[in-house]
Amino acid sequence: MLSKIIEVLTFGKFYLGNKKDILIFDASASAFLKNYFEVNQFNFFYSRKEKFELCIFFKTIITKGLKDFGTNYLFNYIKKFTPKYIFSMWFLNESLYLIKDKYPNIKIILIQSHFITNKNYKILSSFPKNSVDLFFTYRDLDKNNLKKIFNNTKIISIGSLKNNFYYKKVERKISNKILFFSEYKKNRGVTYDERIILKNLDEFCGINNLKLDIQTRYETLQPKYLKFLNDCKYKNISKLLCRKDYGSSYINSNIYKIIAISHSTLADEFLSNFKRVAVLNSAKDLDDDKFYQLNHGKIRENVLNNPFYTGMLPENFSWCLSLDKKIVFKVLNNVIKCNDDDWNSHLLKYNNRYLFDPNNKTFREQLRRIGIIN
């Protein structure tokens, strides 16, 4: 009751914490994990200044000041509430790898949540080697790479936790539309790739008597993105889908037969279910600097280093690294017209495909073995 009063009086900025066995780090990146625990089992750790535990906040200010506040606040929180387990999908956060040194009895459990780039591996290599107890990965390729860094860590390949959770087989999918996944972000605008892809998709749909739906990243339609679409005068866009929660992209991908997307972890996740996905980007059209500039910070090397582009051959069948209209149209025609046997055969050639574990059976079994769930 007192905690609720404090939250109201401080407009949600402060609260009084309590001891629970599980700490989920953090409330933004790892919110999905609440699906696997009872409410009385876990607390969220808020690392992005959304709110602060009242006593820990002032203790940290008084004893440590503002220097390294985030790390000091985390360690003071852990010291007071002593969770048995810390779970996180934010696996690149350095603070997580420092906890075992001070609190060796706490179990650190991490879950891969996006593609791991070469730069990411270098960052992970700089962290203490014995800092993680259990690491869940998308595939054996990631498992084997991480094992070279954390050789004492138990690492298990399970696929995408979210995709495993939200995938549902739909017999009658929407086949007269293409679902495009927008990468528009408020802080960076519309990328070059999205502009060219949408232009090609709109024309392709017009020629083939199809319509185009767009899955957006936000809970409400963004005015600047709407203005961009209106200014471009697209003729075949039917619907814009908003993001209701972190499951929206996965749920909507289940009901469309054809998906188009630029370079994204989502593409690999969807392909693990053998969904028909056309992956389109401009990595061969632009040099590193132009790609970075026109795509608002996206790194060309990260695209080219994805084993997807060397393992799922041939090029220009279901994916392309050029947005030339003829190539894009060829890819779209292949993805749409390919029969099921040929499509499945195409995907099976890709040995590094993300795993698919229906309903996360492996993950849940590991939680049972630890004693967290029944």
Side-chain angles (χ1 to χ4, degrees), residues 160 162-164 166-167 173 179-181 215 246-256 258-262 264-279 308 312 343 347 353-356:
S160 162
K162 290 181 181 179
N163 188 58
N164 292 343
Y166 287 109
Y167 175 72
K173 296 188 176 187
L179 177 62
F180 172 69
F181 281 79
Q215 173 68 60
Y246 36 68
S248 296
S249 293
Y250 301 94
I251 293 168
N252 289 332
S253 75
N254 291 332
I255 63 177
Y256 286 79
I258 306 299
I259 295 168
I261 195 168
S262 185
S264 168
T265 299
L266 282 174
D268 274 297
E269 292 177 274
F270 296 157
L271 288 167
S272 73
N273 307 120
F274 288 80
K275 292 174 182 175
R276 295 193 177 227
V277 184
V279 184
F308 173 92
M312 201 167 80
W343 179 255
L347 294 192
R353 200 171 62 253
Y354 289 3
L355 300 183
F356 173 60

Side-chain angles (χ1 to χ4, degrees), residues 2-58:
L2 180 58
S3 181
K4 289 293 183 184
I5 294 172
I6 290 173
E7 286 196 57
V8 171
L9 293 177
T10 62
F11 301 98
K13 204 65 180 176
F14 290 95
Y15 69 100
L16 287 178
N18 52 21
K19 179 179 172 59
K20 293 181 181 178
D21 285 348
I22 297 168
L23 182 64
I24 298 178
F25 183 104
D26 69 351
S28 177
S30 306
F32 169 78
L33 293 175
K34 70 181 182 181
N35 289 292
Y36 289 94
F37 310 118
E38 299 295 331
V39 174
N40 62 357
Q41 283 186 294
F42 73 91
N43 286 315
F44 280 122
F45 183 80
Y46 299 89
S47 67
R48 306 177 193 231
K49 303 178 182 178
E50 308 102 306
K51 59 172 68 176
F52 299 96
E53 204 285 332
L54 183 67
C55 300
I56 302 300
F57 176 84
F58 285 107

Side-chain angles (χ1 to χ4, degrees), residues 9 26 32 209 218 360 363:
L9 293 177
D26 69 351
F32 169 78
N209 195 30
Y218 296 98
N360 286 309
F363 180 71

Side-chain angles (χ1 to χ4, degrees), residues 13 39 58 64 83 155 167 187 222 274 323 351:
K13 204 65 180 176
V39 174
F58 285 107
K64 298 290 185 178
I155 304 177
Y167 175 72
N187 62 346
Q222 300 301 302
F274 288 80
L323 296 180
N351 294 327

Side-chain angles (χ1 to χ4, degrees), residues 154-289:
K154 186 176 183 180
I155 304 177
I156 303 173
S157 303
I158 61 169
S160 162
L161 204 67
K162 290 181 181 179
N163 188 58
N164 292 343
F165 183 85
Y166 287 109
Y167 175 72
K168 297 290 185 294
K169 187 174 182 179
V170 177
E171 295 297 337
R172 298 185 65 181
K173 296 188 176 187
I174 297 171
S175 59
N176 62 341
K177 292 182 176 184
I178 295 174
L179 177 62
F180 172 69
F181 281 79
S182 171
E183 59 182 0
Y184 170 81
K185 290 183 178 180
K186 290 184 285 189
N187 62 346
R188 74 180 186 189
V190 183
T191 63
Y192 170 84
D193 277 17
E194 180 150 351
R195 291 173 186 273
I196 305 303
I197 290 170
L198 282 175
K199 180 181 178 182
N200 284 328
L201 286 174
D202 187 61
E203 185 175 344
F204 181 87
C205 287
I207 294 170
N208 292 277
N209 195 30
L210 298 169
K211 289 295 181 182
L212 180 63
D213 288 351
I214 300 176
Q215 173 68 60
T216 66
R217 301 173 65 100
Y218 296 98
E219 295 180 359
T220 58
L221 297 177
Q222 300 301 302
K224 289 185 178 179
Y225 189 64
L226 285 175
K227 183 178 185 304
F228 157 73
L229 295 177
N230 289 331
D231 289 346
C232 290
K233 294 181 170 56
Y234 296 119
K235 299 177 181 179
N236 295 291
I237 293 178
S238 173
K239 188 187 300 183
L240 301 180
L241 306 176
C242 291
R243 178 183 181 272
K244 294 180 181 178
D245 56 35
Y246 36 68
S248 296
S249 293
Y250 301 94
I251 293 168
N252 289 332
S253 75
N254 291 332
I255 63 177
Y256 286 79
K257 184 176 181 180
I258 306 299
I259 295 168
I261 195 168
S262 185
H263 178 79
S264 168
T265 299
L266 282 174
D268 274 297
E269 292 177 274
F270 296 157
L271 288 167
S272 73
N273 307 120
F274 288 80
K275 292 174 182 175
R276 295 193 177 227
V277 184
V279 184
L280 316 166
N281 72 78
S282 65
K284 285 190 175 179
D285 296 334
L286 307 170
D287 62 23
D288 291 349
D289 291 339

Side-chain angles (χ1 to χ4, degrees), residues 10 21 74 82 109 131 134 146 171 210 244 275 323 333 338 341 348 354:
T10 62
D21 285 348
L74 170 63
T82 57
I109 301 168
S131 51
L134 183 56
L146 287 169
E171 295 297 337
L210 298 169
K244 294 180 181 178
K275 292 174 182 175
L323 296 180
N333 277 314
C338 180
D341 288 341
L348 286 170
Y354 289 3

